[in-house]
């Protein structure tokens, strides 16, 4: 733990970590808040699914685009503009009596203008700490974000059900605005300028480590989404047991991130961490008992935050600084698509084969992620004793010969 205390004492680290978590906190709330709100207003889960799907598609498209724009226009202008449009869109969806198609269209706008805070902060990190501290910082970030997925759904559900669905959405928008303004006000955001990339959009995916991170991240998040759907199906939507199980799953990730964050990242690091996830979810299929699911998913969770930390670390070490934001945008897009596919596959399996089939499908996604990471070890940078910072951008230097 001394590694993390040292990190938090480093100038600016604690405040930028707290600010970006506050700004991203709404995205742990909005899915449930909109689901409850739209179902109550329109008496239709299909309508809610269409709106949430439109938001997810917008976010997936936005990932690399808004990240790349930060290299052209600067972090603050891009984040400020998207923050205004996204927050206004969310507020309008909560307050206006719109038809479903109107909500779908505004939901797409909210998704495609999601502020690119996650790519921004992971681009800033290498400029804040030394090379020895970077991998533990990525691990601390991955662990801390579990707070979003533990507390976000709980707060959204409580406020929406006990007080008002509109208030639940507006509270999420308030977190977005306050966190976004806090993040923009930090001096670290102003100090770091992303050089303009000279490559075409998407070329960064030719970097094997970026493609590996995008694909494995897709599989990891698909597995998590399928687990969530399976657990809810096991206990039913009216039971609090599913919430406790998913909280234990997230706590396992938090513990794993803190426990393994200081471990050097070798070529088999990603495969090893994905193996923990695969074994834990695979064991969960054996018995759908509360305590068994809690224990096995806690085990699976131990591999999640460390896997994300490795994904971020190998991307950072494999691309030029001007390409880092776009690279993280693609990794984020892969994760968003994984969440959608994982939920869809799990839903189909539940309807046709029962809850255990959803958890089996989650184990399948995790196993594929493990195999891809294992087969891709040749493209996995060995960061043991190596600087995980991005490759410096170089400019041609004119030389006058006398």
């Amino acid at each position: 733990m001394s590694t993390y205390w040292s990190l938090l004492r480093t100038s600016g680290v604690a405040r930028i970590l707290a600010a970006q978590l506050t700004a991203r906190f709404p995205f742990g709330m909005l899915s449930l808040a909109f689901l409850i709100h739209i179902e109550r207003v329109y008496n239709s889960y299909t309508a809610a699914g269409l709106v949430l799907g439109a938001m997810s598609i917008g976010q997936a498209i936005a990932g690399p685009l808004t990240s790349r724009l930060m290299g052209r226009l600067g972090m603050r202008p891009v984040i400020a503009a998207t923050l205004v449009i996204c927050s206004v869109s969310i507020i309008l969806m909560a307050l206006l009596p719109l038809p479903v198609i109107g909500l779908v269209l505004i939901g797409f706008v909210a998704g495609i203008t999601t502020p690119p805070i996650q790519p921004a902060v992971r681009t800033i990190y290498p400029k804040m700490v030394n090379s020895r501290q970077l991998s533990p910082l990525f691990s601390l970030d991955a662990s801390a974000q579990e707070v979003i997925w533990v507390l976000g759904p709980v707060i959204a559900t409580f406020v929406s059900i006990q007080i008002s669905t509109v208030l639940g959405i507006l509270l999420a928008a308030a977190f977005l605005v306050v966190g976004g303004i806090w993040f923009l006000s930090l001096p670290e955001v102003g100090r770091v300028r992303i050089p303009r990339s000279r490559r075409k959009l998407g070329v960064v995916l030719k970097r094997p480590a970026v493609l590996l991170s995008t694909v494995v991240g897709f599989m990891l998040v698909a597995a998590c989404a399928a687990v969530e759907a399976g657990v809810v199906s096991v206990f039913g939507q009216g039971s609090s047991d599913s919430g406790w199980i998913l909280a234990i799953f997230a706590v396992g990730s938090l513990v794993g991130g803190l426990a393994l964050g200081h471990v050097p990242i070798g070529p088999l690091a990603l495969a090893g961490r994905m193996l923990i996830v695969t074994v834990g979810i695979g064991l969960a299929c054996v018995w759908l008992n509360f305590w068994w699911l809690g224990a096995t998913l806690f085990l699976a969770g131990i591999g999640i935050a460390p896997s994300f930390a490795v994904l971020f670390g190998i991307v950072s070490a494999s691309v030029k600084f001007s390409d880092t934001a776009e690279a993280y945008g693609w990794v984020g897009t892969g994760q968003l698509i994984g969440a959608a596919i994982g939920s869809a596959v799990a839903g189909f399996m539940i309807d046709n084969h029962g809850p255990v089939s959803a958890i089996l499908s989650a184990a399948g996604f995790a196993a594929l992620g493990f195999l891809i990471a294992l087969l891709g070890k040749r493209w996995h940078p060995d960061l043991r004793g190596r600087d995980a910072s991005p490759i410096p951008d170089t400019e041609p230097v004119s030389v006058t010969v006398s």
Side-chain angles (χ1 to χ4, degrees):
M1 292 298 291
S2 60
T3 302
Y4 301 113
W5 287 119
S6 174
L7 271 174
L8 292 173
R9 287 196 297 269
T10 301
S11 177
V13 168
R15 65 189 175 208
I16 201 164
L17 190 64
Q20 62 102 0
L21 284 175
T22 304
R24 290 167 53 207
F25 195 80
F27 300 100
M29 300 175 61
L30 283 172
S31 292
L32 272 175
F34 273 124
L35 180 69
I36 297 168
H37 176 71
I38 295 170
E39 194 280 329
R40 282 192 177 179
V41 173
Y42 299 93
N43 195 30
S44 171
Y45 281 107
T46 300
L50 288 171
V51 175
L52 293 174
M55 290 183 70
S56 296
I57 291 169
Q59 288 175 324
I61 294 171
L65 294 178
T66 53
S67 299
R68 191 177 176 89
L69 274 176
M70 289 192 291
R72 293 175 176 267
L73 305 176
M75 285 190 192
R76 279 180 169 151
V78 173
I79 293 174
T82 52
L83 177 65
V84 170
I85 298 170
C86 184
S87 56
V88 169
S89 299
I90 291 170
I91 293 168
L92 291 177
M93 292 170 72
L95 297 179
L96 296 184
L98 298 167
V100 173
I101 186 62
L103 287 176
V104 168
L105 293 174
I106 298 179
F108 178 78
V109 172
I112 205 167
T113 57
T114 299
I117 289 173
Q118 188 172 11
V121 76
R122 286 174 185 150
T123 301
I124 292 170
Y125 283 158
K127 301 298 182 181
M128 295 182 65
V129 298
N130 60 46
S131 58
R132 182 178 52 82
Q133 294 176 304
L134 187 55
S135 292
L137 180 54
F138 281 133
S139 184
L140 181 62
D141 178 280
S143 301
Q145 73 178 1
E146 292 301 331
V147 174
I148 297 171
W149 309 112
V150 173
L151 295 181
V154 172
I155 293 173
T157 303
F158 176 81
V159 174
S160 297
I161 292 176
Q162 300 298 326
I163 305 175
S164 161
T165 58
V166 171
L167 184 60
I169 297 169
L170 293 180
L171 180 60
F175 272 112
L176 177 61
V177 172
V178 172
I181 293 173
W182 183 11
F183 184 78
L184 287 170
S185 70
L186 297 179
E188 292 78 15
V189 178
R191 289 194 199 112
V192 177
R193 187 184 69 82
I194 304 173
R196 182 170 178 169
S197 177
R198 292 173 172 80
R199 297 167 185 81
K200 292 182 179 179
L201 180 68
V203 170
V204 72
L205 285 172
K206 291 184 178 180
R207 292 276 185 178
V210 177
L211 186 58
L212 178 66
S213 296
T214 302
V215 175
V216 175
F218 169 97
M219 294 298 175
L220 177 57
V221 174
C224 293
V227 164
E228 183 175 342
V231 168
V232 171
S233 176
V234 167
F235 296 104
Q237 293 186 8
S239 171
S240 62
D241 287 350
S242 57
W244 286 110
I245 293 292
L246 294 175
I248 292 169
F249 190 34
V251 169
S253 177
L254 176 62
V255 170
L258 296 177
L260 300 177
H262 64 283
V263 176
I265 297 174
L268 289 172
L270 185 55
R273 288 154 172 78
M274 286 299 298
L275 182 60
I276 297 172
V277 180
T278 303
V279 170
I281 297 176
L283 288 173
C285 302
V286 174
W287 191 18
L288 302 184
N289 167 273
F290 178 91
W291 296 108
W292 179 257
L293 282 174
T296 54
L297 291 181
F298 179 86
L299 171 62
I302 288 173
I304 293 175
S307 294
F308 281 124
V310 174
L311 295 178
F312 305 146
I314 64 175
V315 167
S316 175
S318 303
V319 299
K320 290 189 174 183
F321 183 63
S322 58
D323 291 326
T324 50
E326 184 189 340
Y328 286 126
W330 283 111
V331 173
T333 290
Q335 292 171 13
L336 284 165
I337 296 171
I341 297 295
S343 296
V345 169
F348 174 82
M349 297 298 285
I350 291 166
D351 288 341
N352 290 278
H353 304 289
V356 70
S357 64
I359 300 177
L360 276 170
S361 67
F365 281 123
L368 277 174
F370 161 69
L371 289 174
I372 292 167
L374 184 63
L375 294 173
K377 65 179 181 180
R378 70 175 76 175
W379 302 310
H380 188 303
D382 187 348
L383 301 183
R384 291 173 295 187
R386 178 186 156 189
D387 188 351
S389 300
I391 302 166
D393 286 88
T394 54
E395 298 279 356
V397 178
S398 59
V399 178
T400 304
V401 180
S402 55

